[in-house]
Amino acid sequence: MRKKYLTLILTFLLLLPALVVNAEQMQKGLRIKDVFEKYGKKKNVVMVELSKEFIETYEMSFYKSIVIKNDPEALEYVRNCLKNDQKGARKIKEITDDGGVISAFYQLASQKDEDNKFVLFKVNKKMVITLVYIEGDLESDDLITVLFSGKDL
């Protein structure tokens, strides 16, 4: 029994670097990654990262979201990151008000062999900022269907 337990631990330790590298590859080169790192553990923030097992039924390989409440500095930071990351992206939807983006849905540029990458952003009148990053084999129409079908992710 002890030998099986030791083998299981050693196997896990050998696979751990591969799992960490894979997670680090997500959002590689994107500024919005900094939003999750900078604000993810602060007060008045909710960050969610769903496991691959949970999201694979939606043809997604990665899902991460963050909700930041009443932080004007964070809003400016998120908008700057979005401005940088949207270069070369397909704007599926973008709404601006008073010169700033208040709602956006972008499909980011990706290499031929990579999953599609999507960024969704919204800030409401109560200054609640929502930022979602998704990677997967799905198309933008598929994502819209999932988002508006009433199914919870």
Side-chain angles (χ1 to χ4, degrees), residues 49-56 60-61 63:
E49 184 172 344
L50 299 178
S51 71
K52 188 170 183 172
E53 295 80 20
F54 187 77
I55 59 176
E56 65 188 5
M60 296 178 196
S61 56
Y63 175 99

PDB file of all heavy atoms in Angstrom, residues 49-56 60-61 63:
ATOM      1  N   GLU A  49     -11.508  30.690 -12.125  1.00  0.00           N
ATOM      2  CA  GLU A  49     -10.845  29.934 -13.182  1.00  0.00           C
ATOM      3  C   GLU A  49     -11.470  28.549 -13.160  1.00  0.00           C
ATOM      4  O   GLU A  49     -11.425  27.855 -12.145  1.00  0.00           O
ATOM      5  CB  GLU A  49      -9.341  29.845 -12.952  1.00  0.00           C
ATOM      6  CG  GLU A  49      -8.626  29.159 -14.087  1.00  0.00           C
ATOM      7  CD  GLU A  49      -7.120  29.241 -13.972  1.00  0.00           C
ATOM      8  OE1 GLU A  49      -6.604  30.070 -13.201  1.00  0.00           O
ATOM      9  OE2 GLU A  49      -6.447  28.468 -14.670  1.00  0.00           O
ATOM     10  N   LEU A  50     -12.094  28.171 -14.261  1.00  0.00           N
ATOM     11  CA  LEU A  50     -12.787  26.893 -14.317  1.00  0.00           C
ATOM     12  C   LEU A  50     -11.857  25.800 -14.827  1.00  0.00           C
ATOM     13  O   LEU A  50     -11.028  26.039 -15.699  1.00  0.00           O
ATOM     14  CB  LEU A  50     -14.013  27.000 -15.231  1.00  0.00           C
ATOM     15  CG  LEU A  50     -15.072  28.011 -14.798  1.00  0.00           C
ATOM     16  CD1 LEU A  50     -16.207  28.053 -15.811  1.00  0.00           C
ATOM     17  CD2 LEU A  50     -15.608  27.687 -13.415  1.00  0.00           C
ATOM     18  N   SER A  51     -12.044  24.611 -14.307  1.00  0.00           N
ATOM     19  CA  SER A  51     -11.210  23.484 -14.716  1.00  0.00           C
ATOM     20  C   SER A  51     -11.572  23.047 -16.122  1.00  0.00           C
ATOM     21  O   SER A  51     -12.697  23.240 -16.594  1.00  0.00           O
ATOM     22  CB  SER A  51     -11.393  22.313 -13.756  1.00  0.00           C
ATOM     23  OG  SER A  51     -12.680  21.744 -13.929  1.00  0.00           O
ATOM     24  N   LYS A  52     -10.614  22.433 -16.781  1.00  0.00           N
ATOM     25  CA  LYS A  52     -10.816  21.971 -18.148  1.00  0.00           C
ATOM     26  C   LYS A  52     -11.943  20.942 -18.211  1.00  0.00           C
ATOM     27  O   LYS A  52     -12.735  20.944 -19.146  1.00  0.00           O
ATOM     28  CB  LYS A  52      -9.518  21.389 -18.711  1.00  0.00           C
ATOM     29  CG  LYS A  52      -9.607  21.062 -20.167  1.00  0.00           C
ATOM     30  CD  LYS A  52      -8.279  20.720 -20.759  1.00  0.00           C
ATOM     31  CE  LYS A  52      -8.451  20.484 -22.255  1.00  0.00           C
ATOM     32  NZ  LYS A  52      -7.208  20.325 -22.935  1.00  0.00           N
ATOM     33  N   GLU A  53     -12.036  20.090 -17.195  1.00  0.00           N
ATOM     34  CA  GLU A  53     -13.090  19.079 -17.173  1.00  0.00           C
ATOM     35  C   GLU A  53     -14.475  19.722 -17.160  1.00  0.00           C
ATOM     36  O   GLU A  53     -15.405  19.216 -17.766  1.00  0.00           O
ATOM     37  CB  GLU A  53     -12.943  18.159 -15.944  1.00  0.00           C
ATOM     38  CG  GLU A  53     -11.694  17.319 -15.938  1.00  0.00           C
ATOM     39  CD  GLU A  53     -10.453  18.083 -15.476  1.00  0.00           C
ATOM     40  OE1 GLU A  53     -10.580  19.119 -14.814  1.00  0.00           O
ATOM     41  OE2 GLU A  53      -9.350  17.637 -15.821  1.00  0.00           O
ATOM     42  N   PHE A  54     -14.591  20.829 -16.488  1.00  0.00           N
ATOM     43  CA  PHE A  54     -15.870  21.507 -16.370  1.00  0.00           C
ATOM     44  C   PHE A  54     -16.265  22.203 -17.669  1.00  0.00           C
ATOM     45  O   PHE A  54     -17.432  22.219 -18.039  1.00  0.00           O
ATOM     46  CB  PHE A  54     -15.810  22.530 -15.227  1.00  0.00           C
ATOM     47  CG  PHE A  54     -17.127  23.163 -14.914  1.00  0.00           C
ATOM     48  CD1 PHE A  54     -18.085  22.485 -14.192  1.00  0.00           C
ATOM     49  CD2 PHE A  54     -17.413  24.455 -15.339  1.00  0.00           C
ATOM     50  CE1 PHE A  54     -19.314  23.060 -13.898  1.00  0.00           C
ATOM     51  CE2 PHE A  54     -18.630  25.044 -15.056  1.00  0.00           C
ATOM     52  CZ  PHE A  54     -19.585  24.349 -14.334  1.00  0.00           C
ATOM     53  N   ILE A  55     -15.310  22.780 -18.373  1.00  0.00           N
ATOM     54  CA  ILE A  55     -15.626  23.601 -19.547  1.00  0.00           C
ATOM     55  C   ILE A  55     -15.500  22.885 -20.881  1.00  0.00           C
ATOM     56  O   ILE A  55     -15.935  23.412 -21.900  1.00  0.00           O
ATOM     57  CB  ILE A  55     -14.761  24.879 -19.568  1.00  0.00           C
ATOM     58  CG1 ILE A  55     -13.279  24.541 -19.601  1.00  0.00           C
ATOM     59  CG2 ILE A  55     -15.123  25.795 -18.431  1.00  0.00           C
ATOM     60  CD1 ILE A  55     -12.363  25.735 -19.709  1.00  0.00           C
ATOM     61  N   GLU A  56     -14.925  21.687 -20.893  1.00  0.00           N
ATOM     62  CA  GLU A  56     -14.705  21.033 -22.183  1.00  0.00           C
ATOM     63  C   GLU A  56     -16.002  20.685 -22.889  1.00  0.00           C
ATOM     64  O   GLU A  56     -16.015  20.573 -24.120  1.00  0.00           O
ATOM     65  CB  GLU A  56     -13.800  19.819 -22.040  1.00  0.00           C
ATOM     66  CG  GLU A  56     -14.337  18.693 -21.224  1.00  0.00           C
ATOM     67  CD  GLU A  56     -13.297  17.613 -20.981  1.00  0.00           C
ATOM     68  OE1 GLU A  56     -12.132  17.765 -21.363  1.00  0.00           O
ATOM     69  OE2 GLU A  56     -13.677  16.610 -20.376  1.00  0.00           O
ATOM     70  N   MET A  60     -14.330  24.584 -24.765  1.00  0.00           N
ATOM     71  CA  MET A  60     -13.371  25.550 -24.245  1.00  0.00           C
ATOM     72  C   MET A  60     -12.199  24.802 -23.635  1.00  0.00           C
ATOM     73  O   MET A  60     -12.353  23.705 -23.117  1.00  0.00           O
ATOM     74  CB  MET A  60     -14.007  26.421 -23.163  1.00  0.00           C
ATOM     75  CG  MET A  60     -15.130  27.284 -23.630  1.00  0.00           C
ATOM     76  SD  MET A  60     -15.828  28.212 -22.239  1.00  0.00           S
ATOM     77  CE  MET A  60     -17.369  28.744 -22.936  1.00  0.00           C
ATOM     78  N   SER A  61     -11.028  25.429 -23.708  1.00  0.00           N
ATOM     79  CA  SER A  61      -9.859  24.837 -23.068  1.00  0.00           C
ATOM     80  C   SER A  61      -9.389  25.672 -21.878  1.00  0.00           C
ATOM     81  O   SER A  61      -8.603  25.207 -21.066  1.00  0.00           O
ATOM     82  CB  SER A  61      -8.724  24.667 -24.080  1.00  0.00           C
ATOM     83  OG  SER A  61      -8.414  25.895 -24.686  1.00  0.00           O
ATOM     84  N   TYR A  63     -10.858  29.093 -19.193  1.00  0.00           N
ATOM     85  CA  TYR A  63     -11.836  30.110 -18.827  1.00  0.00           C
ATOM     86  C   TYR A  63     -11.373  30.775 -17.542  1.00  0.00           C
ATOM     87  O   TYR A  63     -11.101  30.108 -16.547  1.00  0.00           O
ATOM     88  CB  TYR A  63     -13.223  29.495 -18.585  1.00  0.00           C
ATOM     89  CG  TYR A  63     -14.243  30.500 -18.087  1.00  0.00           C
ATOM     90  CD1 TYR A  63     -15.154  31.076 -18.962  1.00  0.00           C
ATOM     91  CD2 TYR A  63     -14.291  30.872 -16.748  1.00  0.00           C
ATOM     92  CE1 TYR A  63     -16.087  31.996 -18.505  1.00  0.00           C
ATOM     93  CE2 TYR A  63     -15.218  31.798 -16.292  1.00  0.00           C
ATOM     94  CZ  TYR A  63     -16.105  32.358 -17.167  1.00  0.00           C
ATOM     95  OH  TYR A  63     -17.022  33.276 -16.732  1.00  0.00           O
TER      96      TYR A  63
END
